[in-house]
Amino acid sequence: MTDIHDNPLDDPNADPFQVAALAAADIARLSGVEKHDIALTLGSGWGKAADLLGETIATIPATEVTGFSKPALEGHVGTLRSIRTPGGTHVLVIGARTHYYEDHGVRRVVHSVRTAAAAGAKIMVLTNGAGGIRETWKPGQPVLISDHINLTADSPLEGANFVDLTDLYSARLRDIARTVDPSLDEGVYTQFRGPHYETPAEVQMAKIIGGNIVGMSTALEAIAAREAGMEVLGFSLITNLAAGIQKTPLSHTEVIEAGREAEPVISALLARVVEAL
Ligand code: HPA
């Protein structure tokens, strides 16, 4: 058991993979499920997917699991859920994301991903709410992540660990997602540090360097997932058009509201995609 004031990941001498192994053991003990097949991180707007996936075997407060932080924001649910799909797949649903902007260090940001890998997951599904750069996109629209640009100037990898990120967002998994919904568009996710939204000039920069989506999560988690040998599938819910593309100011309330409105539809989509994986 741990809380924000007593986290083994804050000890620079701790081995983050060992902490993840302890967390996976906590999950196995508290859920009674030895091994999970797929892990799913639910960002804003995606929360209802958990209810649609299948039977909930266990709901575990994140604070009961080694190395997890308390959620920084209301609307980011601090639980882990073990779900069995009708097909018998065990899905670990992570509703407790630590964002880079919370300033607890990148080890805490990727702890859930490393825990998922230690719990046996071979596929990591990462979802988020984000801003859209493509003007044809509408708030409430889900898009697949095809690649990313990491503008945090940080990495979850420690030491000289040269991990290949070609096909980081698995083409195979994106194809499966498109068999469920052929209308799914895709784009390059650009992770900014946040927590402020981007300036219009930064959004233009992201566009010029090849970004289509702007957000504050996912890229660092995807890198850690690849390091751990998992296949990655990423989805963004476009909650708003990015600053300057949309002519009105951005607000967190508007972002949460867009997520809430889109939630039933995109959650159903996500549940169907996970069943198809
Ligand atoms: N920028 C960054 N993060 C976001 C946005 C955005 O426009 N919308 C939702 N999360």
Side-chain angles (χ1 to χ4, degrees):
M1 170 111 143
T2 175
D3 75 18
I4 204 151
H5 301 296
D6 175 24
N7 191 315
L9 288 171
D10 293 343
D11 173 358
N13 296 317
D15 172 356
F17 296 95
Q18 214 157 31
V19 180
L22 290 173
D26 289 337
I27 291 167
R29 176 173 48 82
L30 294 165
S31 67
V33 177
E34 258 327 294
K35 186 180 167 299
H36 288 82
D37 308 296
I38 296 176
L40 183 56
T41 297
L42 297 180
S44 43
W46 299 91
K48 290 249 179 336
D51 297 328
L52 304 172
L53 280 170
E55 181 197 351
T56 297
I57 308 288
T59 303
I60 305 166
T63 48
E64 301 283 318
V65 182
T66 304
F68 277 77
S69 317
K70 287 189 178 137
L73 274 182
E74 204 201 331
H76 293 231
V77 197
T79 60
L80 301 168
R81 269 166 81 170
S82 176
I83 295 177
R84 186 170 49 222
T85 69
T89 303
H90 288 285
V91 183
L92 180 65
V93 177
I94 300 159
R97 180 177 252 149
T98 299
H99 286 87
Y100 189 65
Y101 57 68
E102 290 173 53
D103 253 346
H104 296 309
V106 73
R107 282 183 168 191
R108 285 226 218 163
V109 171
V110 301
H111 178 58
S112 60
V113 169
R114 288 181 173 152
T115 298
K122 297 281 181 267
I123 293 177
M124 186 75 230
V125 184
L126 297 168
T127 68
N128 58 57
I133 298 180
R134 272 205 194 119
E135 294 182 31
T136 52
W137 286 347
K138 302 266 183 304
Q141 179 175 347
V143 298
L144 286 164
I145 300 174
S146 58
D147 201 346
H148 80 219
I149 298 171
N150 171 14
L151 293 183
T152 66
D154 210 338
S155 170
L157 309 187
E158 299 179 21
N161 187 1
F162 305 106
V163 171
D164 174 50
L165 300 181
T166 311
D167 195 36
L168 175 55
Y169 298 87
S170 161
R172 185 183 83 83
L173 298 183
R174 278 183 278 141
D175 282 346
I176 293 174
R178 276 188 293 258
T179 62
V180 173
D181 180 356
S183 76
L184 273 172
D185 204 354
E186 64 179 28
V188 175
Y189 184 90
T190 313
Q191 180 173 0
F192 283 83
R193 182 195 181 277
H196 50 272
Y197 293 116
E198 302 72 32
T199 63
E202 287 165 345
V203 169
Q204 285 307 310
M205 175 193 75
K207 182 176 176 177
I208 288 164
I209 63 176
N212 309 116
I213 306 164
V214 284
M216 307 175 192
S217 67
T218 303
L220 295 170
E221 295 160 37
I223 295 168
R226 170 48 52 93
E227 178 194 28
M230 290 190 276
E231 261 191 305
V232 178
L233 178 63
F235 277 103
S236 288
L237 166 67
I238 303 303
T239 56
N240 57 280
L241 291 184
I245 308 281
Q246 145 177 327
K247 298 305 168 209
T248 50
L250 272 53
S251 84
H252 180 63
T253 313
E254 175 199 32
V255 165
I256 296 295
E257 203 42 51
R260 210 165 273 149
E261 271 177 38
E263 196 155 29
V265 173
I266 61 168
S267 295
L269 165 69
L270 183 56
R272 285 171 60 214
V273 169
V274 169
E275 190 58 66
L277 294 177

